């Protein structure tokens, strides 16, 4: 057993070294087995000894279960205590495999939900341009805006202190009527909401037709209005940053921080003494004109933004926002590989167990065939026992998978309800896999000539 475990350890290290580049690329980390990891060798020795001892327990129990007198008479029946251990180990392998299968499907479902769910804004056509020029006042940005708007394909352009990429804006206390709240605040410019496709709930957006918008106007989101408990906030005065704002509109909530955090109460203003960092330019471009518009922006950037010169750097907003899903995508990959590995190990154990069981019952099968049993009845007899073990494994795995999935989903403010189909699919998949694996072994026994199996009896 020690030599087998040593060989397995060597093969495992070879496979780990081969798979490490893929793992590092998937998670963006520079792990190495051999460099700067001296403690690993001592740990591997302990693992080798531990696995050797654990794997030697079962054969020791089997051998200790035999009675010398019975063995000498040719009776090699296994004791019940080893049978229970063998069944438990097989069921345990399937429990782990079923948990990973159900977990993979639930993670995949949550990821699909986040990708398909309405985020409240449209980042797909928006380009974020990295910039070092401050545009704290609307008039500071007008020249650059007019030049960008002349480029064919450009729909809207704006500048703000923050972009919806998961980053957290600043916070400050704002008082509306008698209630004071801590709220996120964003310093924005005209066309901010139009550029991002954010929907208006009541009132209006900021407009160049209203001079006061550059000085004392503010817009709240739905969450802020709900927290203040005001039914019609448009036209009311809200105070913060040592000045009074007149609320001119309410916008619908949008998930700027992704799906893990609830939408925070937020105030938007063009003039904001608490924040003078309007630096992030966003351009909404027609999808069909994206390539030509970006090329034009690059060639004209030194004229549009003299401070940056020819240093034109940009990112697509949907890709920036998509990075918020990276952790879930990595978890999905982990569950996929773990599910495949645990299924493979479970099938190996099932294959060996079914081969052992079938071989022990070869004489029984032969006698049943002589008495008129059909091949289907033999397949049913051999599969029933193993299907029972797999069904028990499902009954154990389902509540465990449910609890783990529930704990994980609770980390999201916006999440799916745990569906039933991952558990049903895990049960069907494990059952079908069991039937196929056992039937391969059963076919050999069923096709055996009864005369060959019973010729020494």
């Amino acid at each position: 057993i020690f030599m087998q475990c040593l060989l397995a350890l060597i093969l495992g290290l070879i496979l780990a070294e081969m798979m490490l580049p893929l793992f590092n690329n998937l998670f963006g980390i520079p792990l190495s087995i051999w460099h700067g990891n001296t403690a690993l060798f001592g740990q591997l020795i302990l693992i080798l000894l531990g696995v050797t001892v654990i794997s030697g327990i079962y054969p020791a129990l089997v051998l200790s279960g035999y009675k010398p007198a019975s063995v000498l008479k040719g009776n090699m029946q296994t004791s019940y205590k080893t049978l229970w251990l063998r069944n438990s180990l097989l069921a345990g392998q399937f429990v782990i495999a079923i948990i990973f299968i159900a977990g993979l499907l639930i993670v995949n479902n949550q990821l699909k939900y986040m990708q398909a769910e309405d985020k409240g804004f449209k980042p797909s056509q928006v380009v974020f341009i990295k910039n070092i020029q401050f545009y704290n006042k609307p008039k500071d940005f007008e020249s650059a805006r007019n030049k960008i708007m002349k480029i064919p394909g450009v729909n809207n352009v704006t500048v703000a202190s923050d972009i919806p990429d998961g980053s957290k804006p600043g916070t400050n206390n704002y008082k509306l009527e008698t209630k004071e709240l801590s709220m996120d605040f964003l310093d924005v410019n005209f066309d901010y909401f139009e550029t991002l496709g954010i929907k208006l709930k009541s009132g209006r957006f900021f407009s160049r037709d209203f001079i006061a918008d550059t000085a004392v106007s503010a817009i709240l989101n739905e969450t802020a209005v709900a927290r203040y408990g005001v039914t019609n906030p448009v036209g009311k005065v809200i105070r913060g940053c040592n000045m009074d704002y007149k609320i001119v509109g309410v916008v619908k909530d949008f998930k700027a921080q992704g799906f893990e955090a609830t939408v925070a109460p937020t105030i938007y203003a063009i003039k904001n003494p608490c924040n003078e960092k309007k630096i992030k330019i966003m351009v909404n471009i027609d999808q069909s004109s994206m390539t030509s518009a970006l090329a034009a922006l690059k060639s004209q950037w030194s004229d549009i933004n003299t401070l940056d010169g020819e240093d034109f750097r940009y990112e697509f907003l949907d890709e920036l926002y998509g990075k918020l899903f990276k952790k879930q995508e990595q978890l999905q990959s982990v569950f996929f590989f773990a599910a495949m590995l645990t299924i493979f190990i479970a099938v190996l154990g099932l294959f060996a167990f079914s081969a052992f069981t079938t071989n022990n019952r070869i004489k029984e099968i032969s006698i049943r065939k002589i008495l008129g049993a059909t091949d289907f009845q033999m397949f049913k007899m051999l599969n029933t026992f193993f299907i029972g073990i797999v069904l028990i494994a499902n009954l154990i795995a389902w509540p465990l998978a449910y609890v783990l999935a529930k704990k994980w989903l609770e980390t999201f403010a916006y999440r799916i309800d745990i569906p039933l189909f991952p558990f049903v699919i895990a049960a069907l998949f494990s059952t079908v896999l069991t039937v196929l694996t056992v039937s391969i072994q059963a076919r050999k026994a069923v096709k055996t000539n009864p005369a060959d199996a019973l010729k020494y009896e």
Side-chain angles (χ1 to χ4, degrees), residues 125-165:
Q125 295 178 215
V126 180
V127 174
F128 160 56
I129 301 176
K130 298 180 180 180
N131 158 64
I132 60 174
Q133 174 70 54
F134 286 92
Y135 297 106
N136 293 325
K137 297 178 181 178
K139 65 179 183 179
D140 298 337
F141 188 61
E142 279 304 302
S143 175
R145 176 191 175 275
N146 291 335
K147 291 175 182 178
I148 294 173
M149 287 297 295
K150 289 179 182 178
I151 296 174
V154 172
N155 299 317
N156 281 301
V157 59
T158 191
V159 64
S161 57
D162 293 276
I163 61 174
D165 63 345

Side-chain angles (χ1 to χ4, degrees), residues 220-452:
L220 305 183
N221 68 351
E222 289 178 295
T223 298
V225 174
R227 295 280 183 89
Y228 280 114
V230 180
T231 55
N232 186 18
V234 176
K236 295 183 183 297
V237 174
I238 183 170
R239 182 169 180 80
C241 289
N242 297 319
M243 65 176 290
D244 293 330
Y245 291 99
K246 182 181 179 181
I247 300 171
V248 298
V250 177
V251 294
K252 292 192 174 182
D253 287 340
F254 63 100
K255 301 177 180 67
Q257 276 83 47
F259 285 73
E260 294 185 29
T262 55
V263 175
T266 309
I267 183 170
Y268 306 89
I270 291 178
K271 181 181 179 181
N272 189 351
C274 292
N275 186 32
E276 296 292 335
K277 296 180 180 178
K278 246 188 280 191
I279 195 173
K280 299 183 178 180
I281 299 172
M282 290 173 282
V283 185
N284 187 302
I285 304 172
D286 280 334
Q287 204 67 45
S288 58
S289 306
M290 187 67 71
T291 303
S292 60
L294 288 173
L297 280 168
K298 181 176 175 63
S299 64
Q300 299 176 32
W301 193 245
S302 58
D303 179 52
I304 294 171
N305 189 323
T306 54
L307 190 61
D308 276 349
E310 296 182 356
D311 188 18
F312 179 70
R313 301 156 297 153
Y314 70 91
E315 291 186 70
F316 293 105
L317 189 58
D318 56 351
E319 292 181 1
L320 286 172
Y321 193 80
K323 290 179 181 179
L324 298 177
F325 306 151
K326 188 174 179 63
K327 187 167 64 175
Q328 283 70 47
E329 290 171 348
Q330 290 175 340
L331 184 62
Q332 183 186 39
S333 300
V334 168
F335 265 80
F336 176 77
F337 287 114
M340 294 301 104
L341 181 61
T342 53
I343 290 168
F344 177 71
I345 293 172
V347 168
L348 282 181
L350 178 63
F351 191 85
F353 192 8
S354 61
F356 175 79
T357 303
T358 303
N359 188 59
N360 279 354
R361 302 183 69 176
I362 190 70
K363 294 177 182 178
E364 176 191 349
I365 293 169
S366 298
I367 293 172
R368 287 179 179 272
K369 286 184 67 178
I370 292 171
L371 295 175
T374 63
D375 289 353
F376 175 77
Q377 289 174 325
M378 294 296 96
F379 278 112
K380 181 181 177 182
M381 179 188 73
L382 293 171
N383 273 289
T384 300
F385 170 72
F386 291 102
I387 290 174
I389 290 179
V390 172
L391 290 178
I392 292 172
N394 273 278
L395 292 176
I396 297 171
W398 286 356
L400 294 175
Y402 178 85
V403 171
L404 293 172
K406 191 172 183 294
K407 289 284 185 183
W408 178 70
L409 286 172
E410 284 174 355
T411 63
F412 296 91
Y414 306 98
R415 55 184 179 264
I416 60 169
D417 294 323
I418 299 179
L420 180 62
F421 80 89
F423 304 98
V424 175
I425 290 176
L428 290 174
F429 184 77
S430 57
T431 303
V432 170
L433 204 60
T434 299
V435 171
L436 290 175
T437 304
V438 174
S439 295
I440 291 172
Q441 293 294 338
R443 185 177 182 279
K444 297 177 183 178
V446 170
K447 296 300 179 182
T448 301
N449 190 338
D452 294 332

Side-chain angles (χ1 to χ4, degrees), residues 49-93:
L49 295 175
V51 172
T52 301
V53 171
I54 293 171
S55 59
I57 290 175
Y58 177 70
L61 288 173
V62 171
L63 292 175
S64 65
Y66 290 134
K67 296 179 180 179
S70 300
V71 172
L72 293 174
K73 292 179 182 179
N75 185 2
M76 302 290 289
Q77 296 295 324
T78 307
S79 67
Y80 282 108
K81 66 179 180 180
T82 58
L83 182 64
W84 273 104
L85 176 61
R86 189 167 58 200
N87 295 348
S88 300
L89 289 173
L90 181 62
Q93 289 175 335

